[in-house]
């Protein structure tokens, strides 16, 4: 009311807030599962493997769509897109607006709630290591950006990552309903490549050019300045950029390998269908035993079959 802008800092009380929103996330997870996904599953009659993947993609589609809209609203209203220099200016960004802090707490609560959901959803043992690895990566990156005061950069990176993940899981849902419809996978491929390029460009811009120009380069953990002084060293800066480029290259290599395998399976399926159709057309017609001569059916030994006389009752 007095025109004062209230900002927030992280602390131990965040753990209580995160715990509360973990329960909220579990309730929302159950609502989406019961009132949306279970009803669709009854109509599709999927196998157990596809049923588990359908539930996973359905939950992530709802989460990623909500997160993309919310994150886009935050970065637009805070001016992080219109002014890219704000990503590194006045670092460290110790004090946060309410919507930025609340977004990060909700993100941490969601990915922490995914751990007990592995038990509630009765996920197969073969799928647990993959999902644990995914959850751990998200928690490390989100918590790292939150605790190291890189929240502005983290918001843009999460927006790019969630956008690509939304199209991927949406394509999986469409493929479960219609196996021949793979158009959304092509859309996801384009979005994935574009987001990787934007992510790599953003890393180079912030790490290579932004953080080295920060005025306060001294190490001061009390003020939230943890490592900006390290980026003043060109060897450290180039090493970090090299690691980022290698990581992005490995991600792109896995993506290209996945696309080549998918296209190979598609063309093999198409060629097998063509061969099956050609065999069906070339299949000779089944003829009667014997052969026809002047309209009369002859037996194989050349004698004409005799007509049987019907006895009168």
């Amino acid at each position: 009311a007095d025109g004062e802008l209230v900002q927030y800092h992280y602390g131990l009380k965040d753990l209580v807030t995160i715990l509360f929103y973990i329960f909220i996330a579990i309730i929302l997870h159950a609502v989406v599962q019961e009132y949306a996904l279970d009803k669709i599953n009854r109509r599709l009659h999927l196998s157990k493997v596809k049923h588990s993947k359908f539930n996973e993609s359905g939950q992530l589609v709802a989460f990623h769509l909500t997160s993309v809209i919310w994150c886009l609203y935050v970065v637009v209203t805070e001016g992080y897109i219109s002014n890219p220099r704000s990503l590194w200016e006045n670092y460290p960004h110790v004090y946060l607006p309410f919507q930025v802090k609340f977004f990060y707490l909700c993100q941490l609560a969601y990915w922490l709630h995914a751990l007990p959901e592995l038990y509630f959803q009765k996920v197969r043992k073969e799928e647990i290591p993959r999902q644990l690895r995914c959850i751990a990566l998200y928690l490390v990156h989100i918590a790292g950006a939150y605790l190291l005061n890189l929240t502005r950069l983290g918001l843009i990176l999460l927006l790019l990552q969630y956008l690509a993940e939304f199209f991927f899981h949406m394509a999986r849902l469409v493929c479960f309903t219609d196996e021949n419809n793979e158009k959304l996978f092509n859309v996801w491929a384009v979005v994935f490549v574009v987001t990787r390029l934007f992510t790599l460009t953003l890393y180079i811009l912030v790490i290579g050019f932004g953080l080295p120009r920060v005025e306060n380069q001294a190490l001061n953990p009390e003020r939230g300045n943890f490592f900006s002084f390290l980026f003043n060293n060109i060897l450290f800066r180039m090493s970090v950029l090299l690691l980022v480029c290698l990581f992005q290259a490995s991600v792109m290599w896995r993506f290209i390998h996945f696309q080549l395998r998918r296209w190979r399976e598609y063309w093999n399926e198409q060629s097998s269908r063509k061969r099956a159709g050609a065999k069906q057309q070339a299949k000779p017609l089944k003829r009667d035993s014997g052969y026809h001569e002047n309209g009369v059916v002859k037996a194989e030994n050349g004698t004409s079959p005799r007509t049987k006389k019907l006895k009168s009752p």
Side-chain angles (χ1 to χ4, degrees), residues 28-41:
L28 293 177
H29 189 113
V31 169
V32 173
Q33 183 68 39
E34 182 175 357
Y35 291 98
L37 298 179
D38 286 345
K39 292 183 178 180
I40 299 175
N41 275 321

Side-chain angles (χ1 to χ4, degrees), residues 176-189:
F176 286 137
T177 57
D178 185 7
E179 295 182 354
N180 297 323
N181 191 350
E182 296 188 353
K183 294 181 180 179
L184 270 182
F185 274 112
N186 299 328
V187 176
W188 165 72

Side-chain angles (χ1 to χ4, degrees), residues 37 40-41 43-58 168-182 185:
L37 298 179
I40 299 175
N41 275 321
R43 296 181 180 180
L44 296 179
H45 303 288
L46 300 175
S47 61
K48 291 184 178 180
V49 177
K50 291 184 177 181
H51 180 81
S52 177
K53 293 181 178 180
F54 183 87
N55 290 336
E56 177 190 359
S57 294
F168 173 73
H169 290 287
M170 193 68 195
R172 285 181 70 181
L173 291 180
V174 174
C175 186
F176 286 137
T177 57
D178 185 7
E179 295 182 354
N180 297 323
N181 191 350
E182 296 188 353
F185 274 112

Side-chain angles (χ1 to χ4, degrees), residues 277-295:
K279 288 182 180 180
Q280 188 175 3
Q281 292 180 357
K283 187 177 180 181
L285 297 175
K286 185 177 180 181
R287 305 186 64 178
D288 298 329
S289 60
Y291 61 95
H292 290 75
E293 183 178 345
N294 296 328

Side-chain angles (χ1 to χ4, degrees), residues 172-309:
R172 285 181 70 181
L173 291 180
V174 174
C175 186
F176 286 137
T177 57
D178 185 7
E179 295 182 354
N180 297 323
N181 191 350
E182 296 188 353
K183 294 181 180 179
L184 270 182
F185 274 112
N186 299 328
V187 176
W188 165 72
V190 176
V191 174
F192 182 86
V193 174
V194 172
T195 53
R196 291 302 101 190
L197 292 176
F198 270 102
T199 300
L200 185 59
T201 304
L202 194 61
Y203 272 119
I204 295 174
L205 181 64
V206 176
I207 296 176
F209 300 98
L211 289 178
R213 298 181 181 181
V214 174
E215 297 179 358
N216 185 13
Q217 295 287 347
L219 176 62
N220 191 353
E222 294 181 358
R223 297 187 58 186
N225 194 345
F226 294 100
F227 51 80
S228 63
F229 73 100
L230 294 174
F231 291 101
N232 198 23
N233 188 344
I234 188 171
L235 292 178
F236 179 80
R237 187 163 68 246
M238 295 303 296
S239 300
V240 172
L241 289 176
L242 180 61
L243 289 176
V244 170
C245 292
L246 290 176
F247 177 75
Q248 295 297 325
S250 66
V251 173
M252 286 300 300
W253 170 251
R254 293 177 59 186
F255 169 77
I256 293 172
H257 180 72
F258 170 77
Q259 291 295 327
L260 291 176
R261 184 181 63 184
R262 188 169 68 89
W263 289 338
R264 184 168 57 250
E265 292 176 354
Y266 173 77
W267 287 114
N268 289 338
E269 184 180 357
Q270 292 296 323
S271 60
S272 62
R273 287 181 179 179
K274 289 181 180 180
R275 287 196 298 268
K279 288 182 180 180
Q280 188 175 3
Q281 292 180 357
K283 187 177 180 181
L285 297 175
K286 185 177 180 181
R287 305 186 64 178
D288 298 329
S289 60
Y291 61 95
H292 290 75
E293 183 178 345
N294 296 328
V296 180
V297 178
K298 298 290 185 179
E300 292 183 355
N301 56 2
T303 59
S304 59
R306 296 181 178 179
T307 57
K308 292 184 179 180
K309 295 182 180 179

Side-chain angles (χ1 to χ4, degrees), residues 56-57 60-61 63-65 68 111 130 134 138 158-172 188 191-192 195-196 251:
E56 177 190 359
S57 294
L60 289 176
V61 161
F63 169 71
H64 288 317
L65 179 60
V68 165
W111 290 110
R130 179 185 63 83
C134 178
Y138 273 113
L158 278 178
L159 177 62
L160 296 173
Q161 176 67 19
Y162 285 164
L163 185 63
E165 288 292 315
F166 167 75
F167 280 101
F168 173 73
H169 290 287
M170 193 68 195
R172 285 181 70 181
W188 165 72
V191 174
F192 182 86
T195 53
R196 291 302 101 190
V251 173

